[in-house]
Amino acid sequence: VTRLSQAGSVDGWLLVGLVDDEVVNRLKPVKLPYVILGDHQCTQPVHCVTVDSMAGGRLAVQHLASLGHQRIGFLGGSMLHKYQHQSLEGFRAAVKELGLVDDERLIVHSKIWGETNGVIKWLKNPELALTAVFATEFGAMEDVSRILKQSRVEVPKEISILSRESDTSVGPDQHWTRIEMPMNEVGRQGALLLHQLAKEPGMASCEMKLSPTLVEGETTCPPPKKESH
């Protein structure tokens, strides 16, 4: 970084990954603007462009609730990253606001994947009576769909699945209902902000949060009707 900066090879930096105070402090001596793309762990003011993950969790619940689902599961990741906690925060808030079933057993994280048949046991637990699941990690939809197919559980007839995906990763033949995160736009807005910082070095720090989008597909529908006795 120092060599490239001193040689005049770059005019600024876009930072991606586990960016913290130590990382940005290394950049201060080179006196070039920088913008962080995605989440960061900085305690000092920085310029950042990211996606509103809390809004994504809220939007997922709102959509499933609009279809009539009351018992919605949260299938999360490692919970080591800020976006994971923000997704869960939005999920919890929407469940409470909409008066849905608020049961901690409906919320599980990545450790369940390491258990023998852990995911399918959770999904088919009669005590939980899940009718819909929000899978929060990019690519989780394929894994969940495969597990359900092997267990002869029909999606969405028996259970609806809504995933969180990047707008760069879903193919045209994957007709999933999803919360789409505008990662391309994060890069574009970050580059625009960096260009502005190069022209106006004294700009006050700012954090730009982009809104996710609901894309309706074939993996969600109203919950199955209970049989009358």
Side-chain angles (χ1 to χ4, degrees):
V1 169
T2 302
R3 185 174 67 254
L4 288 171
S5 300
Q6 291 177 345
S9 301
V10 294
D11 299 316
W13 297 95
L14 292 174
L15 308 180
V16 183
L18 297 177
V19 181
D20 55 16
D21 289 335
E22 181 183 353
V23 172
V24 298
N25 286 339
R26 291 180 195 169
L27 291 174
K28 286 182 178 179
V30 301
K31 297 180 180 179
L32 288 177
Y34 62 88
V35 172
I36 300 171
L37 303 181
D39 294 334
H40 62 82
Q41 299 175 356
C42 297
T43 60
Q44 59 188 288
V46 293
H47 296 280
C48 173
V49 180
T50 188
V51 180
D52 191 340
S53 294
M54 184 173 177
R58 187 186 295 272
L59 186 57
V61 174
Q62 290 171 342
H63 177 65
L64 292 170
S66 73
L67 294 174
H69 294 279
Q70 294 286 317
R71 307 185 69 88
I72 303 171
F74 179 96
L75 182 56
S78 64
M79 303 308 290
L80 296 174
H81 304 287
K82 186 183 292 185
Y83 78 85
Q84 295 168 327
H85 290 277
Q86 291 172 341
S87 294
L88 180 55
E89 185 179 352
F91 178 92
R92 289 186 193 275
V95 165
K96 290 181 179 179
E97 289 167 8
L98 296 172
L100 306 181
V101 175
D102 190 4
D103 185 337
E104 281 300 307
R105 295 177 301 169
L106 296 175
I107 297 172
V108 295
H109 307 302
S110 60
K111 64 179 182 180
I112 197 172
W113 295 99
E115 301 171 7
T116 303
N117 299 319
V119 173
I120 196 63
K121 286 181 180 178
W122 175 68
L123 290 171
K124 297 181 74 172
N125 186 338
E127 293 183 8
L128 299 181
L130 281 164
T131 62
V133 169
F134 175 40
T136 67
E137 299 302 298
F138 292 171
M141 174 66 86
E142 290 184 312
D143 293 328
V144 175
S145 298
R146 185 187 68 256
I147 291 170
L148 289 173
K149 186 176 181 180
Q150 291 172 348
S151 302
R152 297 181 181 178
V153 176
E154 292 186 61
V155 176
K157 184 178 179 180
E158 295 180 63
I159 188 165
S160 290
I161 308 292
L162 188 155
S163 64
R164 174 183 174 276
E165 303 290 346
S166 165
D167 60 355
T168 64
S169 62
V170 179
D173 60 334
Q174 295 170 320
H175 306 296
W176 305 334
T177 304
R178 60 191 183 272
I179 304 300
E180 195 164 89
M181 313 304 273
M183 306 313 294
N184 272 324
E185 189 64 13
V186 167
R188 193 178 80 87
Q189 291 294 337
L192 289 173
L193 178 57
L194 184 61
H195 182 66
Q196 190 175 355
L197 284 170
K199 294 191 298 183
E200 303 174 43
M203 266 183 65
S205 61
C206 65
E207 183 164 305
M208 184 186 303
K209 284 194 173 184
L210 306 182
S211 298
T213 304
L214 171 69
V215 179
E216 295 192 54
E218 300 173 354
T219 58
T220 54
C221 72
K225 294 181 180 179
K226 294 182 179 180
E227 295 182 6
S228 57
H229 297 281

